[in-house]
Amino acid sequence: MTSTNTGLREQKKQETRQAISDHATRLFIERGFEETTIADIADAARVAKKTVTNYFARKEDLALDQHEEFTAGLARTVVERAVGESALAALRTAFLEAAARHDPVIGFSGLPFARMIVDSPTLTARLRELHEAREEALATALAEATGAELDDITPRAAATQLGGANRLLFGEVLRLTVEGHDNDHIAATVARSARRVFDLLEPALGDYATRA
């Protein structure tokens, strides 16, 4: 098979995945996450139910379709931190930049979508799982960055605090969105909150995992 054909096939797969995700999001917002079935989504996207589950292993992944980026994001920020930059400094900068661009990965989703999440016990439970997975990935990255021994609890303790800060700020974005504030107001508010939260962590973690 030529590279052109392979490229076209991959493009078609991405288009199908996006179409399924778009139809799912629309139905979730219109009907509610709990009330919408995989069959409903398949019908709307004009594909088989099996096609939906081939692209999305869990129904929750149709709503939270940036879950891979979400769980890997903090760890990647640490891995890519600059020389002389600590993990805390890198994560502070990354959050403030994400807030300025209204990044969906930190919670900017619009009122209908945010309300859909908070109204769904299934999605709020899945979010907790994703936050935990994100902290685990961060702990692994911190352990590798500092050369920690397997029995050293320090990377996990730091990941709990740094991940917890991001979890709190994600919740603030969601809360402010549900309250009806616009993105500019939310970004300004959570930026102030982020500076306060990271400042509180500075005495303990300000120099931790500084890249040599």
Side-chain angles (χ1 to χ4, degrees):
M1 181 176 291
T2 67
S3 59
T4 299
N5 288 338
T6 301
L8 289 173
R9 186 173 68 175
E10 288 303 312
Q11 180 181 346
K12 178 63 175 176
K13 288 170 65 176
Q14 288 300 317
E15 289 173 351
T16 301
R17 187 184 192 280
Q18 189 61 53
I20 292 170
S21 176
D22 290 345
H23 283 291
T25 300
R26 175 179 59 79
L27 290 172
F28 292 153
I29 289 173
E30 289 176 357
R31 306 179 184 181
F33 178 82
E34 313 294 343
E35 292 75 20
T36 303
T37 67
I38 296 294
D40 294 333
I41 296 163
D43 287 344
R46 298 184 179 179
V47 298
K49 283 176 62 177
K50 184 173 177 57
T51 301
V52 176
T53 55
N54 281 343
Y55 281 98
F56 299 92
R58 301 173 59 158
K59 181 182 169 186
E60 299 94 304
D61 293 342
L62 283 155
L64 305 171
D65 62 349
Q66 297 193 53
H67 62 280
E68 293 177 353
E69 169 67 18
F70 180 85
T71 55
L74 300 185
R76 185 173 59 251
T77 297
V78 167
V79 169
E80 296 176 353
R81 73 199 184 286
V83 173
E85 188 175 38
S86 69
L88 186 150
L91 291 169
R92 182 205 303 262
T93 298
F95 183 88
L96 292 174
E97 289 177 350
R101 65 175 178 267
H102 305 164
D103 195 331
V105 175
I106 67 164
F108 286 86
S109 56
L111 178 56
F113 193 90
R115 184 164 286 154
M116 174 197 74
I117 291 175
V118 300
D119 287 347
S120 168
T122 303
L123 289 179
T124 52
R126 178 58 175 156
L127 265 179
R128 284 194 296 272
E129 293 176 356
L130 292 175
H131 280 297
E132 290 169 3
R134 184 168 68 161
E135 289 176 19
E136 290 173 7
L138 177 58
T140 298
L142 290 170
E144 293 175 354
T146 59
E149 299 293 335
L150 290 176
D151 61 351
D152 186 352
I153 200 171
T154 308
R156 285 179 287 149
T160 297
Q161 295 176 72
L162 293 167
N166 279 272
R167 183 192 297 235
L168 173 64
L169 294 167
F170 184 98
E172 284 297 284
V173 174
L174 205 60
R175 178 183 66 80
L176 291 165
T177 303
V178 171
E179 288 180 359
H181 299 286
D182 62 49
N183 281 347
D184 288 338
H185 174 86
I186 296 169
T189 302
V190 297
R192 289 193 298 270
S193 297
R195 292 185 182 96
R196 175 58 177 157
V197 169
F198 286 112
D199 282 350
L200 288 170
L201 296 177
E202 186 74 31
L205 297 173
D207 296 325
Y208 178 69
T210 297
R211 188 166 199 163

